[in-house]
Amino acid sequence: DGYFEQRVTQCRFSSKDLQGIELIDSYVFNKAEYVRFNSTVGKYVGYTEYGVYNAEAWNKGPELAQMLGELERYCKPNADLRYSA
């Protein structure tokens, strides 16, 4: 018995040019995703009442700017490392 909370951050890319690289940051509670940031969409999207509430707040706050920067700061350098290995 208990609760299951999970955050999954993924950098998705399919070619060396990294033009189509995508950052996805998902928040899951009890196996149900309730909010997600997708760099292609450019904002947080909520899937439950709680997720919509969080997405609206995070899209107006510093969280959005931080996540938009993560694509350049985290995903692209790590994708370069993966292709050079």
Side-chain angles (χ1 to χ4, degrees):
D1 288 356
Y3 298 101
F4 177 78
E5 177 78 32
Q6 180 180 16
R7 180 178 177 187
V8 180
T9 304
Q10 304 172 52
C11 298
R12 295 181 180 176
F13 51 94
S14 58
S15 65
K16 281 186 169 185
D17 67 6
L18 303 180
Q19 292 301 319
I21 197 165
E22 179 180 47
L23 171 65
I24 299 186
D25 190 31
S26 300
Y27 293 77
V28 178
F29 183 73
N30 282 352
K31 300 181 183 178
E33 184 177 30
Y34 63 92
V35 69
R36 172 190 289 186
F37 172 82
N38 183 321
S39 63
T40 303
V41 176
K43 65 179 183 176
Y44 287 93
V45 176
Y47 299 107
T48 66
E49 183 178 343
Y50 179 67
V52 169
Y53 173 82
N54 281 304
E56 288 174 356
W58 294 347
N59 285 331
K60 294 176 185 172
E63 295 86 356
L64 180 61
Q66 180 182 352
M67 285 310 295
L68 289 169
E70 290 298 297
L71 183 65
E72 295 293 326
R73 187 196 70 78
Y74 179 74
C75 287
K76 289 188 178 179
N78 284 304
D80 284 337
L81 288 172
R82 183 174 200 120
Y83 274 115
S84 67

